Every structure is written in C-alpha cells, then in structure tokens.
Amino acid sequence: MHFAAQSHVDHSFGNSFVFTEVNILGTHKLLEAAKELGTIKRFIHVSTDEVYGEIAPNLPNASETCILEPTNPYAASKAGAEFVVKSYQRSFNLPTIITRSNNVYGPKQYPEKVIPKFINLLNRRKPCCIHGDGTNTRTFLHVDDVVKAFDHILHYGTISEVYNIGSDFEISIAELANQLIQYFGLSEHTNEYLSFVTDRKFNDRRYAIDSTKLKQLGWQPTINWQQGFKQTIEWYLNNQTYWSDLDPILVAHPIINLKTQI
C-alpha cells in the first residue's frame, strides 16, 4: 500500500516542486521497483478526492469515472501520480488499484490538519484561523473506517479498478469551529475564538464523492460524527505532549521549507 505523500494543500502553494518530486516521481520509483521485483500481487495507490476538483452542490457526487480536474498543486501532483500508476498497469500488467478518499480525521493525526489544529488552538485559548468566510465544506471520515476500507480493498478489490472511500457527513469549516468551541465550553465567547483570515490562493468550495462502488463490495463506514468527534478531541487533550513543538504549524498559513532527496 502506497500511502507516502506530501499532502498539505497550504504547503503546496509555497513549494510546489517538492510535491511533484515526492508525489509523482516518488510514486514512479515505487512502481518501477515493483515492476522489477515481479512478485507484487497488489499495488494499492492511495490518492485523494481532491483530484476531482470542486463539486458544486447542484452537481452529483463524483464517481470513479469522472474527469479529474485538480485545482491546486497538491491535487495536481496526486492526479499526475494516478496517471503513472495506470500506465504501469496497462503497459506492464502491474496489479494496481487506486483509492480516492475524503478527508480523514481521528487520533494521532498531525496537527497541521484542520481538526487537530483547531483542537490545539482552542486548548491554548487561541482562535481558530478560518480561511476565507468559512463556508467551504469538507466531508470527513474516521480513520478506523478508512483502515477497514483499505483492508477490504486489499482482499476483495479488483485489479485496475478505482475505489472512492467516502462519507455522507459534510460540514462547513466555520460550523466545525463552532462545534469545537461549544465542546470546549467557550460558546459565550464564540467571536473571540473565530479568526477569519486571508483565503488560500484557491480554495475548493466543496468535495463530494460517490462511494457506491466500494459499498457494493461490502464496506460501510460505522463510526458516526458525534462518536468520532468526541473520541478525537479527548485523545488530543489526553496526549498534549505527543508532539514537541506545534507552534510553527498552528499559524493561519504555515510556510515550511520542504526539502527532499529521492
């Protein structure tokens, strides 16, 4: 299973070359190694729902056959990697499967991602930094359900197929912040804990995928938002020393000098 990637959209606006190197060239090197080895039974490439681009509310959710329309350097690098994966399947009969997942959340997620980032900010009594007006929506899926999906695809997926891994739970970033503020008992001071900052260079309004194909294979998400949300918050509150220094990534637009050698 190929999970390795640079995956933070904000960082891709600051240093897009490293995303191309890691996500496309890195994938290419793994594919070539798998081809040369000749004994790989399944090469599962983990992609993202962001390759579909922005899905307007009046449009149907994206199925696996939809055209890829990435709108940021991160998503473009993941789409590019997918094309290399498909080429190795068709040219060399490499037994590949591609997955495209919604936003994943849960315990131990690095706090550059929105849910742990907001939890850590509020725990420090700092405001949630919301890009733009906060009406952008995201669909979240608990990490345990994603793990079960990968296990299911590993054992029952069909070679050369693409599988969406998605949830029906969609929430705006502003509402996400409000729910966290309420959980922390800070509702009387909500405005103090909402900081609307300059938006990203481009910020997709919405992602939405159709996971019918995977559900027909026998997978279903089992952890609802209320259960997973509470479990995730409690883990971060009980493990505040899990990472040593989070201050550089808890700012509105972190800029990290990403360097790599492949």
Side-chain angles (χ1 to χ4, degrees), residues 7-25:
S7 64
H8 198 286
V9 175
D10 264 357
H11 297 169
S12 78
F13 291 124
N15 184 352
S16 58
F17 286 109
V18 74
F19 282 73
T20 301
E21 292 174 7
V22 172
N23 296 350
I24 299 179
L25 181 58

Side-chain angles (χ1 to χ4, degrees), residues 9-10 12-14 71-73 198-204 253:
V9 175
D10 264 357
S12 78
F13 291 124
T71 59
N72 60 65
T198 303
D199 208 347
R200 291 172 171 173
K201 300 292 184 182
F202 188 88
N203 195 351
D204 291 308
H253 294 283

Side-chain angles (χ1 to χ4, degrees), residues 8 10-11 112 117-118 121 127-132 195-200 247-255:
H8 198 286
D10 264 357
H11 297 169
E112 65 182 4
K117 183 173 187 173
F118 284 3
L121 284 168
C128 300
C129 43
I130 299 173
H131 296 161
S195 175
F196 294 90
V197 301
T198 303
D199 208 347
R200 291 172 171 173
D247 289 340
I249 64 166
L250 294 182
V251 297
H253 294 283
I255 298 175

Side-chain angles (χ1 to χ4, degrees), residues 35-183:
K35 176 176 75 73
E36 291 300 310
L37 185 62
T39 59
I40 299 297
K41 295 181 179 180
R42 293 194 172 211
F43 185 109
I44 298 178
H45 174 70
V46 180
S47 191
T48 170
D49 61 353
E50 294 196 32
V51 297
Y52 295 118
E54 186 174 84
I55 307 295
N58 63 325
L59 294 178
N61 290 359
S63 71
E64 290 85 351
T65 58
C66 286
I67 294 174
L68 305 189
E69 295 280 358
T71 59
N72 60 65
Y74 158 64
S77 71
K78 293 297 286 183
E82 285 197 27
F83 288 122
V84 183
V85 172
K86 289 181 178 181
S87 76
Y88 267 67
Q89 195 280 317
R90 291 167 181 161
S91 296
F92 306 114
N93 270 339
L94 198 68
T96 64
I97 297 174
I98 294 172
T99 68
R100 299 170 183 154
S101 174
N102 283 147
N103 287 48
V104 180
Y105 77 100
K108 299 185 180 180
Q109 186 176 39
Y110 190 57
E112 65 182 4
K113 303 297 185 181
V114 64
I115 291 178
K117 183 173 187 173
F118 284 3
I119 292 170
N120 277 279
L121 284 168
L122 290 171
N123 194 40
R124 291 162 167 76
R125 294 304 185 262
K126 295 181 179 180
C128 300
C129 43
I130 299 173
H131 296 161
D133 61 8
T135 58
N136 302 64
T137 66
R138 295 295 182 263
T139 306
F140 289 97
L141 188 63
H142 193 275
V143 62
D144 288 355
D145 284 327
V146 178
V147 168
K148 291 174 184 175
F150 285 126
D151 182 67
H152 206 79
I153 292 166
L154 176 65
H155 290 95
Y156 305 110
T158 300
I159 299 302
S160 82
E161 291 292 338
V162 178
Y163 293 97
N164 286 340
I165 306 173
S167 160
D168 295 325
F169 180 76
E170 185 175 352
I171 188 172
S172 72
I173 301 304
E175 176 57 24
L176 169 63
N178 276 309
Q179 287 192 18
L180 285 166
I181 290 168
Q182 184 177 8
Y183 186 93

Side-chain angles (χ1 to χ4, degrees), residues 205-220:
R205 302 297 298 176
R206 177 176 182 262
Y207 302 119
I209 57 176
D210 181 350
S211 300
T212 300
K213 186 175 176 180
L214 182 55
K215 290 176 180 177
Q216 290 174 342
L217 201 63
W219 171 83
Q220 289 283 347

